[in-house]
Amino acid sequence: MTSAGSSQFNLGSQSKRLPGAKILLECLAHEDVECVFGYPGGATLPLYDALYDHSIRHILVRHEQNAAFAAQGYARATGRVGVCCATSGPGATNLVTGLVDAMMDSIPIVAVTGQVPTKLIGSDAFQEADTFGITRSATKHNFLVKHVNQLPQAIHEAFYIAASGRPGPVLVDVAKDVFLEEAHYTPVTEIHLPGYKVFSSGHAGQVKRAAQMIWDAERPFVYAGGGIIAANASEELRAFVELIDAPAVCTLMGLGALPAEHPNFISLPGMHGSYAANMGMSHTDLIIALGVRFDDRVTGRLSSFAPHAKVIHVDIDPAEIGKNRRADLPIVGDVKHVLPKLTADVRHLAPAMKAHRAEARNAWWKQIREWKREHPLEPQISETEIKPQHLVAEIDRLSRGRAIVSSDVGQHQMWAAQFIRFNEPRLWINSGGLGSMGFGLPAAIGAQFACPEKLVFALVGDGGFQMSIPELATIANHALPIKIIVMNNGCLGMVRQWQQLFYKNRLCQVELNSFPDVEKLAGAYGFKGRTVEAVEELNRVMEEAVAEPGPYLLNVKVSCHENVYPMVPAGGAINEMVLGPPQPVEA
């Protein structure tokens, strides 16, 4: 738990009675909550009345789903728990997509929802929904609070559960009368959850055996994921990778865990990973899996994944060990704690073992570099039209590996993961596991509130952008200097790509034939926007957008039939990549 924050309500003696709404805000202050993303309604009116006099900042979004996405953006950018709030019924149900998204990507958020009064629960009252039942599988844990005395414990347990172990979303559903009911408030200083165990240190014997396996391997390969970022273990990862001098890949959720400019970093692996990354994964004899879950988008056809490799799997969640790929050596623990021990044990063995596999290790690196030369990941640039890869390369040039990029879902997301450098953790914000369209813009809002000093790009497709247009009002209200870059190819690009490649080019309901005039759209909200179509203008206009002190909406018309390559077809092995479009057969 975090240390107690200052009380806005001047509690005085611990015997002071407060209504539940004020108690809840005191709990949030105790958890050092700075801001809440939300949308008010009937069941939360008492809470908003209390909020009127409180220092906690409330950010009014334009849709509850976006409150959850913004809370995620805040959490992903900082590592702290993000907070969102919604009313009962449709307010709560609108949060569900954001909760499942956070669950899939292990993001710590706490959602507070209002519920109808206790005596009306179960009566199909106005704006009643079984929020507790609906969100049971959408959250790491959830609470239904029917008595004010339960409220402090529920809130503090929610924050503890959300942030500890494998992070995730927790929901607290509060009956409206609980907000009004008065009780003595005493801050909760201890959390005791007998059935909730967090494994952090890792088994010392297993760690020693892992060190020996690492030195015995001829072709070791580090496979690092979002668990590294969740654990704030990037420095530990770097030290480990440099010591064993192995090639390393970072998953879509793990980009930035190892700097993109690090000589040991290869790329993203998997469905749209590089040739070198996927061939390395296919020919390694030892996968050192750190904070990953062997997702299907990484492994491809599981029966063909890394057929020659033994697996060391380190993860804080015991349920992930062996779930998809059997681990030859499992270590249940926090990578933040396990990696220094593993590094120390590897270093201890180094004098006796370093020359043991030197020749094989040199040959392994030679092969990795050869694969990189054979099929490099390079953005395509045309003199006649703006290629999507050219656009993300411009974002990379302007960000210099230090800006936050919040992406929506689709082709642009994959090109960004391939070509934008992330030299620090918590710069790459995207919906990985659930793949929620409409995520990028509200998540950028949360990230900009969390990091007001940072340059923030919201890279969105023309499909996802039109799912989140209402949040332009939130951006305008707070003059957030987010650079909204729409990669506009006039269609649902990734769906079109699959229909073209795997459904005989029978394109159905993927064309987006209308799009707003962004200069007028942005102007209606009081900030700048423009459309760019000419290649020769892109560089200058992008620089203008970044130099603009306020928000900027840039609609970039890109070539409409470009596909993301490499690509592993569904059901294929990751070494069965399609490296580019089919070449015409010469007569």
Side-chain angles (χ1 to χ4, degrees), residues 365-383:
W365 264 116
K366 182 179 179 181
Q367 178 64 79
I368 294 287
R369 294 185 180 107
E370 186 175 323
W371 283 325
K372 290 182 75 171
R373 283 193 300 271
E374 284 177 10
H375 299 287
L377 274 181
E378 291 181 342
Q380 298 181 30
I381 296 177
S382 166
E383 294 182 358

Side-chain angles (χ1 to χ4, degrees), residues 1-6 27-37 56-57 68-84 102 105-111 158-164 167-170 229-232 426 429 446-447 449-452:
M1 285 180 55
T2 56
S3 59
S6 60
C27 292
L28 297 183
H30 191 77
E31 295 288 348
D32 291 333
V33 172
E34 297 173 338
C35 63
V36 174
F37 302 91
I56 290 176
R57 189 177 189 184
F69 286 157
Q72 277 201 65
Y74 182 96
R76 291 174 190 245
T78 63
R80 300 176 60 189
V81 177
V83 182
C84 57
D105 287 349
S106 304
I107 306 302
I109 66 172
V110 168
F159 275 82
Y160 177 76
I161 293 169
S164 60
V170 179
I229 292 175
N232 296 313
R426 304 195 180 281
I429 297 173
F449 274 110
C451 306

Side-chain angles (χ1 to χ4, degrees), residues 310-495:
K310 292 182 178 178
V311 172
I312 297 169
H313 191 179
V314 183
D315 201 279
I316 200 166
D317 184 356
E320 289 298 340
I321 305 287
K323 185 181 78 175
N324 293 327
R325 170 66 181 256
R326 187 182 71 85
D328 297 273
L329 199 150
I331 301 174
V332 179
D334 187 336
V335 286
K336 180 79 170 178
H337 298 150
V338 172
L339 270 176
K341 296 177 184 178
L342 182 57
T343 302
D345 285 345
V346 169
R347 184 177 289 111
H348 177 73
L349 293 174
M353 303 295 295
K354 197 159 190 178
H356 180 50
R357 299 292 188 191
E359 186 176 345
R361 297 285 182 91
N362 289 337
W364 179 227
W365 264 116
K366 182 179 179 181
Q367 178 64 79
I368 294 287
R369 294 185 180 107
E370 186 175 323
W371 283 325
K372 290 182 75 171
R373 283 193 300 271
E374 284 177 10
H375 299 287
L377 274 181
E378 291 181 342
Q380 298 181 30
I381 296 177
S382 166
E383 294 182 358
T384 58
E385 59 182 352
I386 300 174
K387 293 280 190 181
Q389 303 94 321
H390 184 185
L391 173 57
V392 295
E394 279 298 296
I395 295 174
D396 175 66
R397 179 181 69 85
L398 293 167
S399 70
R400 298 189 295 275
R402 295 288 184 266
I404 290 174
V405 179
S406 178
S407 168
D408 221 281
V409 172
Q411 288 181 313
H412 62 281
Q413 176 190 25
M414 296 299 107
W415 279 311
Q418 289 178 338
F419 299 119
I420 298 178
R421 292 164 296 165
F422 298 100
N423 289 321
E424 301 170 12
R426 304 195 180 281
L427 296 178
W428 171 236
I429 297 173
N430 78 117
S431 172
L434 193 61
S436 307
M437 289 182 66
F439 174 91
L441 189 59
I445 291 172
Q448 189 74 83
F449 274 110
C451 306
E453 77 291 349
K454 278 192 176 290
L455 173 62
V456 176
F457 289 97
L459 175 61
V460 297
D462 45 331
F465 173 70
Q466 293 183 89
M467 290 185 175
S468 53
I469 280 179
E471 295 312 323
L472 294 179
T474 308
I475 290 171
N477 281 3
H478 298 277
L480 299 175
I482 298 169
K483 313 310 170 188
I484 308 160
I485 313 296
V486 182
M487 183 184 286
N488 189 341
N489 59 5
C491 65
L492 301 175
M494 190 61 85
V495 181

Side-chain angles (χ1 to χ4, degrees), residues 221-233:
F221 205 83
V222 175
Y223 164 35
I228 296 290
I229 292 175
N232 296 313

Side-chain angles (χ1 to χ4, degrees), residues 214 217-222 244-247 284-288 361 364:
I214 289 167
E218 295 185 347
R219 303 182 303 279
F221 205 83
V222 175
I244 68 171
D245 193 25
T284 178
D285 63 352
L286 178 66
I287 289 179
I288 306 161
R361 297 285 182 91
W364 179 227

